[in-house]
Amino acid sequence: MDYKLEQSVKVLVADHLAETTLDVLNNLGYSHPMIVIDSFLLQSTPINDLLTAFKENKKQFTLYDKVIPNPPIELINKGAQIFTENHCDSIIAIGGGSVIDAARGINIVRHLGGSIADYAYDKEITAFCSGLIAIPTTSGTGSELSNALIVTDTEKNEKIAVLSNEAVSEVAILCPDLLVSLPEQLTISTGLDAFSHAAEAYTSTLSTPVVDAICEKIMFLIYKYLPLATQNGQNKEARERMMVAAALGGWVLNNGGTHIGHSQAHIIGAKLNIPHGQACAYALPGTLKATASVKPKKIKEIGYILEASFPENATNEQIGEITAARYRDFRDSILGLTPFETLNISREDITALSKEVQTERFSGNTPFELTDEIVLQLMKEFG
C-alpha cells in the first residue's frame, strides 16, 4: 500500500535537556553515543550542562564537532569511521539542519556500510537505521522528523539528496531553551524555510487532504509566532511554537514533498552560496504566483493565512499576485529578512542555472508544467 501519512519518530517537548536526554538513552538501552554537534554550541550553557550530566552519570560519549554547513560526503564518511573506531552504539545530533543531516548520513553508513554517496545515487536503504536522537537548535529544516538528508558532492559542486523512511530519527527532543540565543536573521531565515516546506507540500502533486490540514496549521503557527520570536528571542512560548511548526514542516516533507521553490533553493543556494532558508524565501513569491494558475484555491488559502484580502471574483493571476505580495510584506517588512539586493548576485548568474533547476530532483512534484519559459520567469523573480 502507498500510505500517504506516516510518522514513526518519538517526539518529546522538554525544558530539561540533560535529564530528558539521559532518560531517552537509558530507555532505549544506549550506553555510548556519538555526539554530532556544531562546535560553537560547546560554549552553550544547556549543552555544557548536558555533557556535565553525562560525566556525572558515567555515561560514555564521543564528540564529533567537525560538521560544517552543507556537509560534504567526506565529512559524513569520516564520522561513520570514527563511530566504529570508538565502539559507539547511537548518535545524538545537536544543531541545525546540516548537523542533523550529517548525523543521519553517519547513521546510515555505520549501519549499512559504503559511502553516503551510494545511497544518493543508486543504493537502497533496506532496513531501519536505529539509534539517531535528534535535538534541533533552529526552527526551520525539520530534519528531526524529515526522511530526507542533503549532502554536498564537492567534486560536482552540487547538493544531493538521500530519501528514505528507514533513515528517520528514532527520537526527536524539542527544547526551546536551545533557541533563546538564536540570532535574529537565523531565526527569520530558518522560520521561512519551514513556511516554504508547508507552502510547497500543500501545493505539491503528492499532497493529500491530511497533509493539507497539517500544512495550513504550520503556516498559521509561523505567521503568528515567528514575528514574536524575532522581536524577542527570549519568548519561550514563541520559540516552542516555532519548534513544533518546524518539526511538523519536516514531517510533511515525507508525505507531501517540496517542488520548484526548493529546486531553486538547492541549485541557486549551492552554486551562489546563499543560505538555504534565505534561498527558499527568495524563491517562494514566484512559486506562489506560478502555482496560482493551477491551484488558485490553495494559493488563496495561503493568502488568507497571511491576512490578505481578495476582490470578489478575483482571477487566478490576481490571487497569485496578491498572495505573493502579502508574503513579501511578511518576509521583508514584518520580519526583515536580509534583502536579496545586498548579496550582490547578478541576475545573469541566476538565470544561467535555469536548466539545472528545471531537472532538479524535487522539481517533479511541481503542479504545473516546467517549460523553459516558466522556469526562466521564476529565475527572474527569484529574490
Side-chain angles (χ1 to χ4, degrees):
M1 295 295 295
D2 183 20
Y3 295 111
K4 295 300 183 185
L5 193 71
E6 298 181 40
Q7 208 299 96
S8 58
V9 183
K10 303 175 182 70
V11 181
L12 292 165
V13 181
D15 287 324
H16 307 291
L17 179 64
E19 179 184 334
T20 301
T21 305
L22 283 167
D23 285 347
V24 167
L25 289 170
N26 293 333
N27 178 259
L28 298 175
Y30 295 131
S31 59
H32 186 165
M34 169 189 267
I35 299 177
V36 181
I37 189 169
D38 280 318
S39 57
F40 74 88
L41 286 172
L42 296 175
Q43 311 304 316
S44 157
T45 298
I47 302 306
N48 274 295
D49 290 346
L50 173 64
L51 299 182
T52 298
F54 274 33
K55 293 169 185 175
E56 290 176 347
N57 286 271
K58 297 181 170 54
K59 179 73 73 175
Q60 282 186 293
F61 63 90
T62 297
L63 272 179
Y64 187 54
D65 62 353
K66 307 301 182 185
V67 180
I68 59 176
N70 305 314
I73 291 167
E74 298 78 14
L75 181 146
I76 290 171
N77 293 340
K78 179 65 175 178
Q81 179 186 339
I82 292 172
F83 182 101
T84 301
E85 290 172 349
N86 286 274
H87 308 288
C88 301
D89 61 4
S90 53
I91 298 176
I92 300 174
I94 307 175
S98 292
V99 168
I100 297 175
D101 280 4
R104 186 182 295 113
I106 292 168
N107 204 38
I108 292 168
V109 174
R110 69 98 170 179
H111 271 286
L112 303 175
S115 166
I116 191 60
D118 300 336
Y119 304 94
Y121 292 119
D122 54 21
K123 198 170 183 179
E124 289 191 17
I125 299 171
T126 56
F128 180 63
C129 299
S130 60
L132 176 60
I133 300 164
I135 304 175
T137 59
T138 64
S139 295
T141 66
S143 294
E144 59 274 16
L145 294 191
S146 172
N147 67 356
L149 67 107
I150 306 296
V151 297
T152 301
D153 186 328
T154 52
E155 291 184 6
K156 298 180 180 178
N157 190 28
E158 65 182 21
K159 293 184 179 183
I160 55 177
V162 180
L163 296 171
S164 176
N165 288 334
E166 303 295 350
V168 297
S169 308
E170 189 168 357
V171 175
I173 301 174
L174 310 181
C175 178
D177 285 338
L178 293 172
L179 269 68
V180 294
S181 61
L182 195 68
E184 181 182 280
Q185 280 300 316
L186 197 54
T187 297
I188 295 168
S189 63
T190 53
L192 291 175
D193 183 16
F195 192 96
S196 287
H197 290 163
E200 291 181 43
Y202 188 53
T203 53
S204 162
T205 57
L206 301 177
S207 189
T208 66
V210 183
V211 169
D212 289 351
I214 298 167
C215 290
E216 288 170 1
K217 186 64 174 180
I218 293 165
M219 289 184 282
F220 170 80
L221 287 172
I222 294 171
Y223 182 69
K224 180 174 182 179
Y225 289 103
L226 182 53
L228 298 178
T230 300
Q231 294 158 13
N232 177 13
Q234 302 292 317
N235 186 325
K236 287 278 291 290
E237 180 188 14
R239 291 297 195 184
E240 182 184 280
R241 293 290 86 195
M242 282 302 303
M243 291 198 94
V244 170
L248 292 175
W251 176 28
V252 295
L253 292 184
N254 307 350
N255 302 279
T258 57
H259 55 87
I260 192 61
H262 264 65
S263 296
Q264 292 173 75
H266 289 155
I267 299 298
I268 298 171
K271 299 289 186 179
L272 303 180
N273 197 31
I274 303 173
H276 178 71
Q278 279 181 244
C280 289
Y282 297 147
L284 190 56
T287 300
L288 293 171
K289 287 169 65 176
T291 304
S293 66
V294 292
K295 291 186 177 287
K297 184 177 179 180
K298 285 191 172 183
I299 298 302
K300 195 173 188 180
E301 189 62 41
I302 294 173
Y304 284 138
I305 290 168
L306 295 169
E307 298 188 325
S309 298
F310 298 91
E312 190 176 352
N313 300 320
T315 65
N316 293 356
E317 183 177 0
Q318 287 176 313
I319 290 169
E321 292 280 359
I322 291 169
T323 300
R326 184 58 190 151
Y327 172 79
R328 284 184 184 275
D329 185 57
F330 175 57
R331 183 191 74 182
D332 301 337
S333 301
I334 296 176
L335 296 174
L337 180 70
T338 300
F340 174 75
E341 293 73 22
T342 64
L343 303 184
N344 295 317
I345 294 172
S346 75
R347 186 59 54 185
E348 290 73 20
D349 287 341
I350 293 174
T351 56
L353 300 172
S354 294
K355 281 296 181 185
E356 292 183 59
V357 168
Q358 195 169 10
T359 58
E360 194 271 342
R361 180 169 189 170
F362 298 105
S363 66
N365 300 331
T366 306
F368 51 88
E369 184 180 359
L370 291 174
T371 64
D372 293 348
E373 182 182 5
I374 287 174
V375 173
L376 182 59
Q377 181 61 34
L378 288 169
M379 304 295 270
K380 288 179 179 178
E381 295 194 28
F382 183 92

